[in-house]
Amino acid sequence: MKHAFQSFIKRNSFYLGGDQPSVAWIERLRSVFGAFIGLMLVITLAKYLGELSGIDEWLMASLGASALLVFALPQSPMAQPWAVIAGNTLSALIGISCFHLIGEPLLALPAAAALSILGMFVLRCLHPPAAAVALITVLGHIAHYRYAVFPVMVDSVLLVLAGAAYSNLTGKRYPNRPPQ
């Protein structure tokens, strides 16, 4: 019985995270600390810029997911500056457009996500959290295209800058550089 249970666990561990690579604790802590510092900087600056300009919307909800990619997986193509900035901004524009053009939320939500994915394929800026940006704009009834610039694009730029500074200070190369 014990052998059968161990065999079962071994065969099915893939479904319980067994496919995830082992990560050293120092790297885990580097990523976590970087995400904390980077998000703290971005949130503080975005809040200040929002107050300065009199805009209530100063933070995008999917910023945490973008931070995971930028700080924990800085070498991923989906964490590179073009993917983060263009993917998030494009998806916000598409989400806002779907909100305006499609009156039924049950159609606007999947259309916004699907069209943002298509747009990211076309512009070569795949960034998974950006599909959430498209949904958030529709769910939040965001009607102003300004939202795509501030907070979405500005927050994305600030996050990339914080990620680049932190990664390079801690010995990780970010963003990727083209081969020589």
Side-chain angles (χ1 to χ4, degrees), residues 64-97:
S66 292
L68 180 138
L69 288 168
V70 170
F71 290 96
L73 300 168
Q75 298 305 303
S76 168
M78 295 177 187
Q80 299 310 301
W82 175 249
V84 175
I85 297 166
N88 282 332
T89 305
L90 173 70
S91 295
L93 291 168
I94 290 171
I96 295 164
S97 296

Side-chain angles (χ1 to χ4, degrees), residues 38-64 136 142 146-159:
L39 285 169
M40 183 67 91
L41 286 170
V42 172
I43 290 168
T44 302
L45 282 169
K47 182 154 177 51
Y48 174 74
L49 291 172
E51 289 173 357
L52 195 64
S53 60
I55 298 174
D56 290 335
E57 302 148 338
W58 49 271
L59 186 65
M60 64 174 177
S62 64
L63 196 62
I136 290 164
I142 297 170
R146 172 212 35 88
Y147 180 83
V149 175
F150 183 77
V152 174
M153 186 176 73
V154 170
D155 285 358
S156 299
V157 168
L158 292 172
L159 185 70

